[in-house]
Amino acid sequence: MRYVEPGRPALPLGLGALSIDTARVDTVAFPQGAGLLLYTDGLTEARNASGTFYDPVGRFTGRRHSGPDALLDALLADVYRHTDGRRTDDMALLAITRASDDASPPSARRWRPESR
């Protein structure tokens, strides 16, 4: 896993209309078999009992997963352990994998939190 920085700083998503900057696009290589994880600040601002923020890049660099579902399952379990199950913010996660051109499309799956 690696963090991709934007080419230039910008306002948060949804606040672009307040900027005098024109819209821009950053391009990043996304080869077949590569994965992409998008997340909101609820992930990186999740804290443990001592106040340490959750670091998905530091915790997941070098780890392999069989697909987006496996990544999300592992990530949610790790955040749960990090925070001892406490949440103070909402968290939205989206993981995708670029399949080969001849692969059949995967079925959609929606994650539902377990009762604990």
Side-chain angles (χ1 to χ4, degrees):
M1 183 178 289
R2 75 179 169 99
Y3 186 78
V4 178
E5 288 281 349
R8 295 188 332 234
L11 291 173
L13 189 62
L15 297 180
L18 301 175
S19 175
I20 58 171
D21 243 350
T22 58
R24 65 182 185 284
V25 175
D26 288 332
T27 303
V28 178
F30 191 51
Q32 291 180 352
L36 176 67
L37 173 65
L38 303 173
Y39 54 84
T40 61
D41 64 348
L43 178 66
T44 54
E45 293 178 2
R47 297 179 191 222
N48 65 12
S50 64
T52 303
F53 288 112
Y54 185 79
D55 176 17
V57 176
R59 294 174 78 100
F60 277 76
T61 295
R63 291 172 66 176
R64 299 263 182 220
H65 299 91
S66 60
D69 289 344
L71 169 59
L72 292 176
D73 288 344
L75 184 62
L76 289 168
D78 195 50
V79 172
Y80 188 87
R81 282 189 300 274
H82 178 78
T83 62
D84 290 326
R86 290 184 313 277
R87 284 200 206 155
T88 58
D89 194 2
D90 62 325
M91 186 184 315
L93 307 167
L94 173 67
I96 61 172
T97 298
R98 181 172 177 205
S100 62
D101 292 336
D102 59 342
S104 59
S107 60
R109 186 188 119 192
R110 185 175 177 175
W111 181 81
R112 298 191 188 281
E114 297 176 19
S115 299
R116 297 195 194 245

